[in-house]
Amino acid sequence: MASMRILVLDTPADAARVAAAVVTDLVAQSPAAVLGFATGSSPQPLYRALAEKARNGVDFASITGFALDEYVGIDVGHPESYRSVLARDVVGPLGMAPLRMHVPDGLGERMLSGRAYENAMAAAGGVDLQILGIGANGHIGFNEPGSELDSRTRDVALAERTREDNKRFFDGDIDRVPSLAITQGIGTILEARELLLVANGAAKARAIATALESEPSASCPASVIRRHPDVTVVLDVQAASLLRQRENYRAQAETWLLRRLAPVR
Ligand code: F6R
């Protein structure tokens, strides 16, 4: 039976602390957990909150990481390759050995990269917790609208909207944004044992409302998370602003926080 917790917090920083608690609860239970890492701006407050936990003694050294996606055709040393971004925001701050972070190969033999990546994920035992953002057009990973719901890790063309949204990482110049990427497929993402989707800001409100309140469909790839048995969605009030039950979700977040912070008897 599907179970989805939707937690709405006042600010992105509050939301990040809750999302970080979801991650550290898992790592406390399973120090060698396999985590899937999204990039982009949505998870950055979460990664900062995890970095603070690492400074305060939480040990992430035994986790294994798998990136959700990578641009095709840009040098891995480019500051905006997802390998570079994850090295900067996750591997270093969390004290992981660099080889424990896997990133799809955006430069290698194109037919082989997707399969090799899936083999590496399987060899690691599969992903325990996949962190996801959401595109303004409803994409997850770089599975753009229209992607097959059972798709696997593969090369994809980025939607114009996505390239427009991501040009801020490339000096505001859309021509510098790669037009291809390699992404875990929707079917791949759904195989993670737990999903954690984070979204902040009004620009995500429409995509969040469609993803969480309409029937799962390829026109909004993020909507398929409703088919997964264990999902936590952590939003700030702006990203939640078009959800019909947003007040309930705020109350759920308060209950969740109270329960979690309650003294152990
Ligand atoms: C990136 C990824 C994408 C982003 C999405 C939102 O690894 O998987 O799905 O999560 O494009 O990006 P931001 O957070 O920058 O708005």
Side-chain angles (χ1 to χ4, degrees):
M1 162 88 177
S3 130
M4 177 144 67
R5 282 186 293 186
I6 304 176
L7 307 174
V8 174
L9 285 300
D10 283 340
T11 67
D14 290 344
R17 276 191 284 275
V18 167
V22 172
V23 175
T24 52
D25 282 354
L26 172 71
V27 173
Q29 229 177 6
S30 310
V34 177
L35 268 62
F37 287 96
T39 42
S41 47
S42 309
Q44 280 175 354
L46 163 61
Y47 297 156
R48 283 195 291 272
L50 292 177
E52 192 182 330
K53 300 241 183 216
R55 284 194 298 275
N56 290 328
V58 176
D59 184 1
F60 294 98
S62 300
I63 67 168
T64 297
F66 282 89
L68 193 49
D69 40 24
E70 175 61 292
Y71 292 115
V72 164
I74 60 174
D75 194 89
V76 289
H78 188 292
E80 295 305 331
S81 78
Y82 286 162
R83 182 175 288 282
S84 298
V85 170
L86 288 171
R88 205 160 58 224
D89 292 352
V90 176
V91 174
L94 268 53
M96 290 171 69
L99 287 176
R100 297 190 83 94
M101 178 65 83
H102 302 260
V103 182
D105 181 358
L107 290 173
E109 170 53 58
R110 304 304 325 136
M111 294 299 286
L112 293 181
S113 297
R115 202 170 316 145
Y117 199 60
E118 297 237 348
N119 288 343
M121 290 169 76
V127 173
D128 292 305
L129 172 67
Q130 175 63 57
I131 298 164
L132 297 168
I134 182 171
N137 64 1
H139 71 217
I140 44 172
F142 279 135
N143 297 283
E144 301 287 17
S147 300
E148 299 287 335
L149 299 186
D150 59 357
S151 50
R152 311 301 308 181
T153 304
R154 69 205 184 287
D155 281 11
V156 290
L158 295 181
E160 208 52 21
R161 170 76 198 259
T162 302
R163 295 183 68 229
E164 186 62 39
D165 286 347
N166 285 9
K167 73 180 185 192
R168 67 193 193 281
F169 298 115
F170 292 87
D171 301 325
D173 181 356
I174 192 168
D175 292 332
R176 293 197 193 179
V177 184
S179 45
L180 294 178
I182 176 168
T183 183
Q184 286 188 35
I186 297 176
T188 320
I189 291 169
L190 288 179
E191 282 171 10
R193 285 179 271 280
E194 188 180 344
L195 303 180
L196 170 62
L197 186 142
V198 295
N200 301 310
K204 298 295 170 68
R206 174 57 53 202
I208 284 292
T210 307
L212 302 185
E213 291 184 344
S214 56
E215 279 308 303
S217 112
S219 61
C220 178
S223 61
V224 301
I225 68 171
R226 299 177 64 195
R227 291 189 177 159
H228 192 283
D230 189 354
V231 183
T232 306
V233 179
V234 187
L235 308 170
D236 77 338
V237 280
Q238 292 189 12
S241 59
L242 296 178
L243 288 173
R244 284 192 291 270
Q245 295 199 53
R246 55 190 177 276
E247 289 310 324
N248 283 350
Y249 300 143
R250 274 175 78 119
Q252 269 184 38
E254 272 166 36
T255 310
W256 188 90
L257 279 169
L258 281 175
R259 200 181 316 126
R260 201 167 175 286
L261 299 178
V264 179
R265 290 175 208 282

